[in-house]
Amino acid sequence: MDKLAQYRQYVQTLISRYAEEDVSDDEVEVQLILDTERDHYQWMNVGWEHLTRIYQTIIHIDIKDGKIWLQQNLTEQNPAEELVAMGVPREDIILGLQPPYKRPYTDYGVA
């Protein structure tokens, strides 16, 4: 399996496992957006909680130029470290949720 296909599988496995742990009800739906053509992957919560609109991206991961970009993470999980444990080299993980000037000080890629 080539690197891109492997990364797609890793990201989909990870985001699906995280979303399974979320509690969905009649008011708030857990949605997975797995766009393998454009390499955008999101876990969202969409709906209503009483009179409050819920529209929130919990995790957003992209694959760009052969690198996995962690764009959003509102969980207590550490998806970057879990991707490393799956076999992704640290330099292939970009913390897009960090400003570019901070990325060289992380243990991950800088893009």
Side-chain angles (χ1 to χ4, degrees):
M1 182 178 297
D2 74 332
K3 181 172 114 169
L4 183 57
Q6 191 70 55
Y7 284 4
R8 285 176 176 144
Q9 182 180 359
Y10 289 160
V11 168
Q12 289 179 67
T13 298
L14 187 70
I15 208 167
S16 296
R17 183 167 39 87
Y18 286 167
E20 283 177 4
E21 297 172 7
D22 197 354
V23 178
S24 179
D25 59 31
D26 292 338
E27 301 294 320
V28 178
E29 179 183 0
V30 174
Q31 293 185 354
L32 284 181
I33 299 153
L34 307 173
D35 181 354
T36 57
E37 185 175 323
R38 293 172 197 84
D39 285 320
H40 302 295
Y41 306 89
Q42 294 183 7
W43 157 23
M44 297 188 67
N45 287 347
V46 178
W48 290 90
E49 188 172 289
H50 306 288
L51 297 176
T52 303
R53 176 71 171 152
I54 305 297
Y55 186 84
Q56 187 169 42
T57 302
I58 309 300
I59 290 184
H60 177 177
I61 299 173
D62 292 326
I63 301 174
K64 300 189 296 187
D65 301 321
K67 310 271 187 191
I68 298 174
W69 286 70
L70 181 57
Q71 305 285 22
Q72 171 90 330
N73 179 19
L74 298 181
T75 73
E76 306 247 341
Q77 309 294 332
N78 188 341
E81 279 304 307
E82 291 194 44
L83 288 165
V84 168
M86 291 175 170
V88 178
R90 289 181 178 280
E91 60 269 13
D92 281 358
I93 300 170
I94 310 298
L95 301 181
L97 48 79
Q98 292 288 340
Y101 74 90
K102 286 187 177 182
R103 292 181 200 152
Y105 305 107
T106 69
D107 288 335
Y108 303 100
V110 295

